[in-house]
Amino acid sequence: MALLTKEAENNIINILIAEGLVDSNLVQSVRTEVEGSGSEQSVLGELTRRGVANEDMVARATAMLIGVPYVELKNVTIEQEILSMIPQDAQVRELAIPLGEKDGMLNVAMADVTNVQATDYLSNLMGRPIRVWMSSEHGIREMIEKSHGDLTGVTEAVKEGNEEAAAEQSNVKTIVQDSPISKALTTILSYAAKTKASDIHIEPLESSLIIRCRIDGVLRRIMELPKNVAPALVSRVKILSNLKIDEHRVPQDGQFTVLVDGKEIDLRIAISPVTWGEQVVIRLLDKTGTSMEVDKMGMAGRALRDVLSGIEKPNGMILTSGPTGSGKSTTLYALIQKIKSEAINIVTLEDPVEYKMDGINQIQVNVDAGLTFANGLRSILRQDPDVVMVGEIRDSETAGLAVQAALTGHLVFSTLHTNSAAGILPRLLDMGIEPFLLASTLNVVIGQRLVRRITEKRENYKSSELETEGINQIVGDLLPAKEGDVAAVSEDLGYPGLPIKNDNFYMLAKGLATKETPGGYKGRAGLYETIVVDEDIQKLIISHATAAEIMRLAKSKGTVTMRQDGILKVLSGITTIDEVNRVASDLS
């Protein structure tokens, strides 16, 4: 707030008295003391210091005096989408919070509504006119802290290090542990770890640097930094990852470990040259926040029974498929955790080793040293393993060795990048695996995706006519037809209390959006489909059947598809139709 004249202060005090917020006799007593002491302290300042008046009371009275609306931010809930309309660094610098749009104008709460330059700056930044509201400085700072958490320290560190960052552009070796840029990076990493982000994206634009985090599978822009800090920030990441800091023309990959709240988090680094500089993508691998039990990850009913049956066999292959970030490796870890025993030797070959587990011999792929998946798998087979996990089947050589391992009495786990469980089979045939070998070694194949879970704060609603029609079209033949079937069908599918098939509506749930749960979601659950490779499926493999033909036969044998599994999770209140459509709309 700008400095007030004595007349303005007296007017504010009179408003406080008129509104019944302070006692006039007490004000007069304080005034007499201040004027009698000859102190430069104002009467309003002394009232605030003594707690007779607080910042919110003064801000409200000031708003009435100036003639602008007032908002007490502690009584207001602002959605994250609205808060992100003004970049976090601008919020801190100008002490301004966006309240929402109305009639083409952006309502903004400010601590100093008389600052015309700040108002013009925000209006130009947003590209639209703004309407200012008065709020207290501490109220705005609290809202910024609640909205951005530990990220407020990034702006302060960057501001402190602007001159240093400029120097570091020409001499990156001056970047030290205690530099402002190092503190900014540490703060960003800490924020990502605490919000359970899986990735951090540092993306250069023409005139700024954007930081985004992938939280529960969705990228969120968390802040915008000045462009001049980009070289120093990227160089700091390179130093920590033991990469070449003077190489800007080709992509580089690295890794390092950070300690957050006493937990070690492994980071995978990918740096690529882009139009406006270098993009950095950091993958966070934190096993402490991940459940290692398949049923708690979302696998239920028929799919769970199929998989548990497959891992009980002494040999064969269990393969899981899905796009990057769909939880394939986590599923394999959970299955290995289930069969882990002192009586068997489990060896894994991974790139990287994502979760370190006791009692398992884990090998890190090192291509530069000649340790590829194929070479490593050859070595593993000489180590007397009972169970082998190969992080990913990427080529024909690795696929062939995995099949040979399964044929020679080993239980083999691995992953492939395909769109569905049925797509695994043609993909392996395309890699040159003989159909008869594939048919005789596969136990079960798994397809999966991840959806966001609805938060505990939720509300129920009736499905629309279109939603009801879609639900019946996808899972109508799976739902119980009458009340007496509910218990048996629910137990079979693994979702307690499923509704009876209804042509009118279903009761669905949606989460309430807060800062901690944007969009009403928190955490993720898996959508799964499994195919048990029995004699009929083996015949289709040998005849080079398509993925669609294999899936049709599997569905006739009781396989629940990923899309069906998603809708069952919707009916059980685990996720929403929008989430299922987001990740599985292309699946039958």
Side-chain angles (χ1 to χ4, degrees):
M1 183 76 195
L3 289 174
L4 297 170
T5 64
K6 190 168 184 178
E7 180 183 0
E9 281 198 358
N10 287 332
N11 288 335
I12 290 172
I13 292 171
N14 290 335
I15 291 173
L16 292 174
I17 294 171
E19 291 290 311
L21 298 174
V22 296
D23 181 72
S24 59
N25 293 328
L26 184 56
V27 169
Q28 187 56 46
S29 174
V30 171
R31 190 191 303 275
T32 302
E33 279 187 43
V34 170
E35 292 175 352
S37 66
S39 169
E40 295 183 2
Q41 172 73 31
S42 68
V43 176
L44 184 59
E46 184 63 18
L47 288 171
T48 303
R49 190 186 69 80
R50 295 188 183 190
V52 177
N54 59 41
E55 274 196 49
D56 289 313
M57 292 163 58
V58 173
R60 179 180 173 186
T62 305
M64 294 175 68
L65 179 65
I66 298 174
V68 298
Y70 169 77
V71 57
E72 192 166 343
L73 290 174
K74 69 180 181 183
N75 298 326
V76 176
T77 300
I78 306 174
E79 293 185 0
Q80 197 66 29
E81 290 78 5
I82 294 173
L83 286 166
S84 62
M85 296 174 75
I86 295 179
Q88 184 246 341
D89 57 322
Q91 291 181 24
V92 174
R93 186 171 58 251
E94 307 300 343
L95 289 177
I97 288 287
L99 301 173
E101 290 182 285
K102 187 175 182 181
D103 301 327
M105 299 184 75
L106 180 65
N107 291 300
V108 179
M110 298 181 67
D112 186 3
V113 296
T114 62
N115 189 336
V116 178
Q117 286 183 327
T119 305
D120 287 344
Y121 166 74
L122 291 172
S123 180
N124 291 330
L125 179 67
M126 304 309 297
R128 72 191 81 179
I130 67 173
R131 182 188 184 208
V132 294
W133 291 60
M134 184 82 186
S135 191
S136 66
E137 179 176 334
H138 87 90
I140 289 177
R141 290 192 183 279
E142 281 186 0
M143 180 62 75
I144 292 173
E145 181 65 28
K146 282 171 58 182
S147 305
H148 303 284
D150 297 330
L151 287 175
T152 51
V154 176
T155 303
E156 298 302 322
V158 168
K159 189 185 298 183
E160 177 189 342
N162 266 336
E163 293 182 6
E164 183 177 320
E168 286 167 356
Q169 291 186 48
S170 58
N171 184 14
V172 293
K173 292 180 181 179
T174 63
I175 305 173
V176 294
Q177 182 65 37
D178 295 328
S179 72
I181 292 301
S182 297
K183 292 176 183 176
L185 178 60
T186 300
T187 303
I188 292 170
L189 293 174
S190 178
Y191 172 84
K194 289 176 180 177
T195 55
K196 307 296 184 186
S198 60
D199 302 89
I200 303 169
H201 290 234
I202 302 174
E203 303 168 334
L205 302 181
E206 184 176 8
S207 57
S208 63
L209 189 69
I210 301 299
I211 311 294
R212 297 195 292 171
C213 285
R214 188 178 296 279
I215 303 173
D216 290 338
V218 178
L219 275 172
R220 300 181 200 160
R221 174 169 160 172
I222 61 169
M223 70 185 313
E224 183 175 350
L225 297 175
K227 182 63 180 284
N228 66 336
V229 307
L233 190 60
V234 174
S235 294
R236 180 62 186 161
V237 174
K238 288 180 177 178
I239 289 170
L240 292 171
S241 311
N242 291 320
L243 301 178
K244 298 178 181 177
I245 58 177
D246 57 347
E247 177 58 79
H248 309 287
R249 300 166 300 169
V250 297
Q252 296 189 76
D253 296 328
Q255 61 185 42
F256 64 95
T257 301
V258 293
L259 194 67
V260 178
D261 292 339
K263 298 183 301 184
E264 277 196 354
I265 298 177
D266 294 328
L267 307 176
R268 279 194 309 179
I269 314 299
I271 301 178
S272 300
V274 293
T275 304
W276 301 112
E278 290 180 280
Q279 180 193 33
V280 180
V281 177
I282 303 174
R283 168 68 58 88
L284 290 83
L285 305 172
D286 177 14
K287 71 177 181 181
T288 57
T290 304
S291 171
M292 286 297 177
E293 298 178 40
V294 285
D295 52 342
K296 291 183 180 178
M297 290 160 51
M299 191 178 289
R302 299 174 188 174
L304 182 58
R305 291 194 297 273
D306 289 344
V307 170
L308 295 181
S309 174
I311 65 176
E312 286 176 358
K313 296 181 180 180
N315 61 295
M317 296 177 69
I318 289 93
L319 302 180
T320 178
S321 70
T324 300
S326 60
K328 301 185 298 296
S329 297
T330 306
T331 297
L332 293 188
Y333 280 115
L335 295 178
I336 285 177
Q337 186 75 30
K338 209 161 189 68
I339 64 171
K340 187 176 75 169
S341 163
E342 290 185 358
I344 60 175
N345 179 22
I346 303 175
V347 185
T348 74
L349 185 64
E350 307 170 58
D351 184 21
V353 175
E354 296 190 18
Y355 304 110
K356 299 177 178 67
M357 301 173 70
D358 292 333
I360 295 174
N361 301 297
Q362 297 173 276
I363 300 173
Q364 166 76 54
V365 166
N366 188 340
V367 177
D368 293 338
L371 180 55
T372 63
F373 276 115
N375 291 338
L377 190 49
R378 287 193 186 91
S379 172
I380 285 175
L381 295 178
R382 294 192 290 269
Q383 296 174 19
D384 186 31
D386 297 290
V387 177
V388 175
M389 182 186 118
V390 182
E392 183 183 344
I393 294 178
R394 296 178 179 174
D395 52 50
S396 301
E397 187 178 11
T398 307
L401 288 167
V403 169
Q404 290 300 321
L407 280 171
T408 52
H410 303 91
L411 187 59
V412 179
F413 294 87
S414 193
T415 70
L416 277 90
H417 283 87
T418 63
N419 287 328
S420 64
I424 289 176
L425 308 172
R427 175 77 179 118
L428 288 172
L429 293 174
D430 187 55
M431 285 184 172
I433 304 300
E434 292 292 340
F436 69 91
L437 292 177
L438 195 58
S440 60
T441 54
L442 280 175
N443 293 349
V444 60
V445 291
I446 307 165
Q448 67 181 83
R449 297 285 192 280
L450 289 176
V451 291
R452 291 179 290 175
R453 290 180 182 268
I454 300 173
T455 181
E456 291 181 4
K457 294 182 179 179
R458 58 178 65 193
E459 59 185 14
N460 295 323
Y461 70 98
K462 293 180 180 179
S463 61
S464 66
E465 184 178 340
L466 190 61
E467 288 173 332
T468 304
E469 183 181 344
I471 290 170
N472 286 334
Q473 184 179 348
I474 297 168
V475 298
D477 58 336
L478 295 177
L479 295 177
K482 57 183 185 297
E483 191 68 39
D485 297 336
V486 170
V489 172
S490 296
E491 183 179 356
D492 176 46
L493 295 175
Y495 297 101
L498 286 174
I500 298 170
K501 183 180 178 182
N502 193 332
D503 291 328
N504 298 319
F505 66 86
Y506 294 97
M507 290 304 298
L508 307 179
K510 60 181 177 181
L512 301 179
T514 66
K515 181 191 79 70
E516 293 80 14
T517 59
Y521 300 101
K522 186 172 185 179
R524 289 193 286 178
L527 306 185
Y528 298 92
E529 65 185 17
T530 57
I531 299 176
V532 176
V533 182
D534 59 12
E535 288 186 11
D536 295 326
I537 299 291
Q538 288 175 350
K539 291 175 182 177
L540 285 184
I541 295 173
I542 292 171
S543 65
H544 289 266
T546 64
E549 291 171 330
I550 293 169
M551 181 53 78
R552 272 196 296 272
L553 178 58
K555 285 178 69 175
S556 71
K557 289 175 169 287
T559 288
V560 175
T561 68
M562 274 186 277
R563 190 158 173 76
Q564 288 176 325
D565 189 38
I567 297 302
L568 292 174
K569 283 181 167 66
V570 170
L571 295 173
S572 298
I574 296 172
T575 189
T576 64
I577 290 178
D578 288 342
E579 269 299 283
V580 175
N581 289 336
R582 180 177 69 86
V583 304
S585 60
D586 59 332
L587 303 172
S588 59

